[in-house]
Amino acid sequence: MLDYINRQAPTWLVQPEVLAGEEFQDCIILVFGKPRTAVFAHIDSIGFTVRYGRQLVRIGGPDTETGYRLVGEDSQGAIDCTLTVDDETGALGYEFSRDIERGTTLTFACDFRETETTVQSCYLDNRLGVWNALQLCETLQDGIVVFSCYEEHGGGTVKFLAKYIHERFAVRQALVCDITWVTEGVHAGQGCAISLRDSLIPRRSYVERIRQIAKKSGIPHQLEVEGSGGSDGKELQHGAQPWDWCFVGAPEDHVHTPHEQVHKADIDSMLRLYQVLMREL
Amino acid sequence: MLDYINRQAPTWLVQPEVLAGEEFQDCIILVFGKPRTAVFAHIDSIGFTVRYGRQLVRIGGPDTETGYRLVGEDSQGAIDCTLTVDDETGALGYEFSRDIERGTTLTFACDFRETETTVQSCYLDNRLGVWNALQLCETLQDGIVVFSCYEEHGGGTVKFLAKYIHERFAVRQALVCDITWVTEGVHAGQGCAISLRDSLIPRRSYVERIRQIAKKSGIPHQLEVEGSGGSDGKELQHGAQPWDWCFVGAPEDHVHTPHEQVHKADIDSMLRLYQVLMREL
Amino acid sequence: MLDYINRQAPTWLVQPEVLAGEEFQDCIILVFGKPRTAVFAHIDSIGFTVRYGRQLVRIGGPDTETGYRLVGEDSQGAIDCTLTVDDETGALGYEFSRDIERGTTLTFACDFRETETTVQSCYLDNRLGVWNALQLCETLQDGIVVFSCYEEHGGGTVKFLAKYIHERFAVRQALVCDITWVTEGVHAGQGCAISLRDSLIPRRSYVERIRQIAKKSGIPHQLEVEGSGGSDGKELQHGAQPWDWCFVGAPEDHVHTPHEQVHKADIDSMLRLYQVLMREL
């Protein structure tokens, strides 16, 4: 990520201050101009940790189906194995030619597929959010772009990132740049979703401002209302600074499987919406 | 709330500093004299959010029963509809003459009832806590009164309020001014409850001081012990300042229904207890 | 604890700064030399709170079995009673010659047993962690030793301790000095466990450094991988400072019962591992 940023930044409209290193763990903060709003895109993914006796435990909430191909590496070399799910107990395991060392991380094997209207792969959640944030950087004049970790597994970095940003830049407006779900109310191809709530409820006055800007912009978008699910917004909500936050992101089908699928029109509207919101918020 | 405070404050014994505005989101802090203790009363309520296809999702933990009357407003006008609960799935919906716009908030319709000994209405939790805090303001000399949000749904404001108060005033004693439950151990009419624990356990030395002050005062009160439930105390407990907290509040029957009922004697003892505690803590 | 520390400190290699008092609630921080790493050992325990009608509610997650002996004290005197568990409902109660006052804390009666190779008692979790930390103090040159509370029940002190330590000493490396579980992958007598994950996942780069130091030291140890469980590491992970943390502790059998059992070889390797890690991290 840092390599990419350092290589690309010279072509961007505004040169950001790049904050990274031990005080930020594995996260990156890019500060453009005089920021009023921060974009949070998480760079971690779901997966599995190898336990003992060929057992696996989840990292985040991956979908599990016998036969999913998993890849990784331990001190004995590269790993390309198959997920197993016990029919009765639901216990997770793997099939491989040898035992894998305990603590090894396994992820879905990537099988990228593209049609005229869609992209499909594991980890579009949140590689598409990261892609969107990086595209946004090209023309961003005032704003902060944050690449966070641990979103999929218990949180843990947004708390200190949010504190740092609020204390140093007095910014307290956030957009959560992430991928959501296709549901009976949010359809593929009908535009980026603005989430009115998930398991948490962002502050109405802030969400209303975003809705008005989106409406005025004419960019296709959809309003999402869920009773469950969460995002980096959770850590902003629970932190000790008065952040406003709102989830704005394209919906995907086949969530948390190796076959996550997003409509290209929704990716397009997501980027355009972020460009407008970062100007007008 | 701010209107009421500005109108009433001139009649109060001490004029408080009023802290409100964007840095405090929708919350209010009143600072009287040289504060040693802060009272937290939440001003948010439970309810429902309209989803898609006539579905509802909960805000906080409202009781649900087919037939409860719900009110709200969307861009098409006022709403007065009826809650439905699916017998088999428990899924929540509404019956109304038209579709309601997604994201609309619905609340219980208010039906205030009063007898010689009780008041009954939706949202006594926490309108009575707020009423108690405002009554307390009339004679308060030294102390802080906080009106917080999001208590019913995931928290999110007490963390920054607690940080601000601790850093600016070095206050770290809190009373949680809220309504609790009538149970087999806490009876209507026998006095305000002092909670020795709920899902969390406040620090014993602080709770003991409160018990001693209450005992010496002669004001009727009851000791509550629960294994579940939570309050703004949760955010104080989990924040990054060494707050002591204790829940002190009247018990109600028919919790989180449109028919919450509180005994007037318990309201009376609650206010008197707060007056003594704010003097002696 | 403070008495012990004040009595023993003169015999220690380095005299620590002792931080305690109201700003630290019931916790203690010892600061030795120029610290780079902090050890967190919790001093609270699991148990029960007396409710009404001879009911009990849990403090933390104690094992429950009819017949366990519980002790405590209320204003009527000492208590030595027996735990009861309802076969059908699982409801907890007690058998005793009189009613116990509501809010009274009960704990397992201590029955310390020792063989050539093991110690056995209630509350080895976390008296052994505390013992290990205190032994470590004898020769510690640079480092911080923290005695925290509320680890067993919802957390609440590590957040402010971690903030204080990070702000004043710029320390952000932590070792969680606690007792874990004997499982099919972690065996009694085979050395102290280094936990690669529990319900949360510590940062890989930090855990790898610990693994390398442990490996080079030649001290017996085992690698643990769990999908559940938590520790003071949870509060470090969720706090607003960029702490790295790793759980390093001996495994016990009969977890959270009155019969917790630890192998002496694992206690020995735990202390030696901490001595090396505090020097080399």
Side-chain angles (χ1 to χ4, degrees):
Chain A
M1 285 281 299
L2 272 175
D3 279 354
Y4 177 90
I5 289 163
N6 288 330
R7 231 168 30 238
Q8 294 295 313
T11 71
W12 295 347
L13 192 63
V14 171
Q15 296 310 299
E17 179 184 1
V18 181
L19 298 163
E22 274 301 304
E23 268 290 336
F24 302 95
Q25 294 191 351
D26 301 314
C27 306
I28 303 170
I29 302 177
L30 305 178
V31 186
F32 296 82
K34 287 178 190 297
R36 300 177 310 277
T37 305
V39 172
F40 287 82
H42 72 88
I43 55 178
D44 60 307
S45 296
I46 53 176
F48 302 88
T49 312
V50 176
R51 201 171 171 252
Y52 329 119
R54 303 217 156 190
Q55 295 169 42
L56 297 178
V57 290
R58 282 179 174 84
I59 299 170
D63 183 63
T64 54
E65 198 173 287
T66 293
Y68 281 167
R69 217 181 114 207
L70 304 177
V71 294
E73 193 180 351
D74 66 9
S75 76
Q76 296 170 60
I79 298 155
D80 192 330
C81 66
T82 304
L83 176 66
T84 61
V85 187
D86 188 287
D87 278 349
E88 285 179 19
T89 63
L92 304 178
Y94 62 86
E95 277 187 8
F96 192 46
S97 54
R98 60 169 174 87
D99 281 359
I100 304 173
E101 289 167 11
R102 58 178 71 176
T104 303
T105 298
L106 300 177
T107 56
F108 290 134
C110 185
D111 173 19
F112 186 86
R113 288 148 282 175
E114 189 173 358
T115 69
E116 209 172 314
T117 55
T118 65
V119 289
Q120 188 165 24
S121 168
C122 56
Y123 304 132
L124 293 185
D125 167 6
N126 187 34
R127 291 193 185 165
L128 265 180
V130 171
W131 179 87
N132 182 73
L134 288 168
Q135 292 298 111
L136 180 67
C137 288
E138 297 187 359
T139 58
L140 187 59
Q141 302 204 37
D142 299 302
I144 292 176
V145 175
V146 183
F147 299 101
S148 67
C149 300
Y150 282 108
E151 193 271 350
E152 296 289 6
H153 196 94
T157 62
V158 170
K159 284 266 177 60
F160 66 77
L161 296 166
K163 178 173 187 280
Y164 180 92
I165 292 168
H166 184 262
E167 288 182 356
R168 184 160 158 215
F169 302 105
V171 167
R172 57 172 188 265
Q173 298 185 144
L175 296 172
V176 178
C177 183
D178 200 347
I179 301 302
T180 184
W181 311 328
V182 168
T183 61
E184 68 266 46
V186 173
H187 305 282
Q190 300 193 3
C192 178
I194 296 173
S195 179
L196 307 186
R197 62 167 290 181
D198 49 31
S199 64
L200 291 180
I201 306 175
R203 200 157 67 112
R204 200 190 305 186
S205 54
Y206 182 63
V207 174
E208 281 303 313
R209 282 173 61 208
I210 289 171
R211 287 178 66 170
Q212 293 313 315
I213 294 169
K215 203 172 173 181
K216 226 184 77 186
S217 75
I219 299 164
H221 63 276
Q222 310 176 70
L223 300 177
E224 179 184 76
V225 180
E226 291 296 332
S228 61
S231 72
D232 275 343
K234 203 167 197 160
E235 290 201 77
L236 293 170
Q237 175 78 8
H238 287 152
Q241 296 80 37
W243 281 88
D244 275 324
W245 58 274
C246 183
F247 184 109
V248 179
E252 72 175 15
D253 219 338
H254 312 302
V255 174
H256 283 195
T257 75
H259 314 297
E260 298 181 356
Q261 187 176 49
V262 179
H263 198 290
K264 287 178 179 177
D266 299 336
I267 304 172
D268 176 64
S269 83
M270 182 174 177
L271 180 55
R272 286 161 60 208
L273 209 48
Y274 269 87
Q275 288 168 338
V276 173
L277 288 170
M278 291 303 283
R279 268 200 310 274
E280 305 202 3
L281 269 175
Chain B
M1 286 279 301
L2 273 176
D3 280 353
Y4 177 91
I5 288 163
N6 288 330
R7 230 168 33 238
Q8 294 295 313
T11 71
W12 295 347
L13 193 63
V14 171
Q15 296 309 301
E17 178 184 2
V18 180
L19 297 163
E22 274 301 304
E23 268 291 336
F24 301 96
Q25 295 193 348
D26 301 313
C27 307
I28 303 170
I29 301 177
L30 306 178
V31 186
F32 296 81
K34 288 179 187 298
R36 298 177 311 276
T37 304
V39 171
F40 288 82
H42 72 88
I43 56 177
D44 60 307
S45 296
I46 52 176
F48 302 89
T49 313
V50 176
R51 199 170 174 255
Y52 329 120
R54 303 217 156 190
Q55 295 168 41
L56 298 177
V57 290
R58 281 180 176 84
I59 299 169
D63 184 63
T64 55
E65 196 173 288
T66 293
Y68 281 166
R69 218 181 113 209
L70 304 179
V71 294
E73 194 180 352
D74 65 9
S75 75
Q76 298 169 59
I79 298 156
D80 191 330
C81 66
T82 304
L83 177 65
T84 62
V85 187
D86 189 286
D87 278 350
E88 285 179 20
T89 64
L92 304 178
Y94 61 86
E95 276 186 9
F96 192 44
S97 54
R98 60 171 174 87
D99 280 359
I100 304 173
E101 289 166 12
R102 57 178 73 175
T104 303
T105 298
L106 300 177
T107 56
F108 290 133
C110 185
D111 174 19
F112 187 86
R113 288 149 280 176
E114 188 172 358
T115 70
E116 209 172 315
T117 54
T118 64
V119 290
Q120 186 165 25
S121 167
C122 56
Y123 303 132
L124 293 185
D125 167 6
N126 188 30
R127 291 192 185 165
L128 266 180
V130 171
W131 179 87
N132 182 74
L134 288 168
Q135 292 298 111
L136 180 67
C137 287
E138 297 187 358
T139 57
L140 186 59
Q141 303 204 38
D142 299 303
I144 292 176
V145 175
V146 183
F147 299 102
S148 68
C149 298
Y150 282 107
E151 193 271 349
E152 296 288 6
H153 196 94
T157 62
V158 170
K159 285 265 176 65
F160 67 75
L161 295 166
K163 178 174 188 279
Y164 180 92
I165 292 168
H166 185 262
E167 288 182 356
R168 183 158 158 217
F169 302 104
V171 167
R172 56 173 189 264
Q173 297 185 147
L175 296 172
V176 179
C177 183
D178 200 348
I179 301 302
T180 186
W181 312 329
V182 168
T183 60
E184 69 265 48
V186 173
H187 305 282
Q190 300 194 3
C192 178
I194 297 172
S195 178
L196 306 185
R197 62 166 289 180
D198 49 31
S199 65
L200 292 180
I201 306 174
R203 200 156 67 113
R204 198 189 307 185
S205 53
Y206 182 63
V207 174
E208 280 304 312
R209 282 174 59 210
I210 289 170
R211 287 178 66 170
Q212 294 311 316
I213 293 169
K215 202 172 174 183
K216 227 185 76 185
S217 75
I219 299 164
H221 63 277
Q222 308 176 71
L223 300 177
E224 179 185 77
V225 180
E226 291 295 332
S228 61
S231 73
D232 274 344
K234 203 166 196 161
E235 290 202 75
L236 294 170
Q237 175 78 10
H238 287 151
Q241 296 80 37
W243 281 87
D244 275 324
W245 58 275
C246 183
F247 185 110
V248 178
E252 72 175 15
D253 219 338
H254 312 300
V255 174
H256 284 195
T257 74
H259 314 297
E260 297 180 355
Q261 187 177 49
V262 179
H263 198 289
K264 286 178 179 177
D266 299 335
I267 304 172
D268 176 65
S269 83
M270 182 174 178
L271 179 55
R272 286 161 59 207
L273 208 48
Y274 268 87
Q275 288 167 339
V276 173
L277 288 169
M278 291 303 283
R279 268 200 310 272
E280 305 203 2
L281 269 174
Chain C
M1 285 279 301
L2 273 176
D3 280 353
Y4 177 90
I5 289 163
N6 288 330
R7 230 170 30 239
Q8 294 295 313
T11 71
W12 295 347
L13 193 63
V14 171
Q15 295 311 299
E17 179 184 1
V18 180
L19 297 162
E22 274 301 304
E23 268 291 334
F24 301 95
Q25 293 192 350
D26 302 314
C27 306
I28 303 170
I29 302 176
L30 306 178
V31 186
F32 296 81
K34 289 178 187 297
R36 298 177 312 274
T37 304
V39 172
F40 288 82
H42 73 87
I43 56 178
D44 60 307
S45 296
I46 53 176
F48 303 88
T49 313
V50 176
R51 198 169 174 254
Y52 330 120
R54 304 217 157 190
Q55 295 169 40
L56 298 178
V57 289
R58 282 180 175 83
I59 299 170
D63 184 63
T64 55
E65 197 174 287
T66 293
Y68 282 166
R69 218 181 112 209
L70 305 178
V71 295
E73 193 179 354
D74 64 10
S75 75
Q76 297 170 58
I79 298 155
D80 191 329
C81 66
T82 304
L83 176 66
T84 62
V85 187
D86 188 287
D87 278 351
E88 285 179 18
T89 64
L92 304 177
Y94 61 86
E95 276 185 9
F96 191 45
S97 54
R98 62 170 173 88
D99 281 359
I100 304 172
E101 290 167 10
R102 58 178 71 176
T104 303
T105 298
L106 300 177
T107 56
F108 290 133
C110 184
D111 174 19
F112 187 86
R113 288 148 281 176
E114 189 173 357
T115 70
E116 208 171 317
T117 55
T118 65
V119 290
Q120 187 166 24
S121 168
C122 56
Y123 304 131
L124 294 186
D125 166 7
N126 188 32
R127 291 193 184 164
L128 265 180
V130 171
W131 179 87
N132 183 73
L134 287 169
Q135 292 297 109
L136 179 66
C137 288
E138 298 187 358
T139 57
L140 186 59
Q141 303 205 35
D142 300 302
I144 292 176
V145 174
V146 183
F147 299 101
S148 67
C149 298
Y150 282 108
E151 194 270 350
E152 296 288 6
H153 196 94
T157 62
V158 171
K159 285 264 176 64
F160 67 75
L161 296 166
K163 178 173 187 281
Y164 179 93
I165 291 168
H166 184 262
E167 288 182 356
R168 183 158 159 218
F169 302 105
V171 166
R172 57 172 189 264
Q173 297 185 147
L175 297 172
V176 179
C177 183
D178 200 347
I179 300 302
T180 186
W181 311 329
V182 167
T183 61
E184 69 264 50
V186 173
H187 305 282
Q190 301 194 2
C192 178
I194 297 173
S195 179
L196 307 186
R197 63 167 289 181
D198 49 31
S199 64
L200 292 179
I201 306 174
R203 199 155 68 113
R204 198 189 308 186
S205 53
Y206 182 62
V207 175
E208 280 304 311
R209 283 173 60 209
I210 290 171
R211 288 178 65 170
Q212 294 312 315
I213 293 169
K215 202 171 173 183
K216 228 185 76 185
S217 76
I219 299 163
H221 63 277
Q222 308 176 72
L223 300 177
E224 178 185 76
V225 180
E226 290 297 331
S228 62
S231 73
D232 274 344
K234 204 167 196 161
E235 291 203 75
L236 294 170
Q237 175 78 7
H238 288 152
Q241 296 80 37
W243 280 87
D244 276 324
W245 57 275
C246 183
F247 184 110
V248 178
E252 72 176 15
D253 219 340
H254 313 300
V255 174
H256 284 196
T257 74
H259 313 298
E260 298 181 356
Q261 186 176 49
V262 180
H263 198 289
K264 287 179 178 176
D266 299 335
I267 304 172
D268 176 67
S269 83
M270 181 174 177
L271 179 55
R272 286 161 60 206
L273 208 48
Y274 268 87
Q275 289 166 338
V276 173
L277 288 170
M278 291 302 283
R279 267 200 310 274
E280 306 203 1
L281 270 175

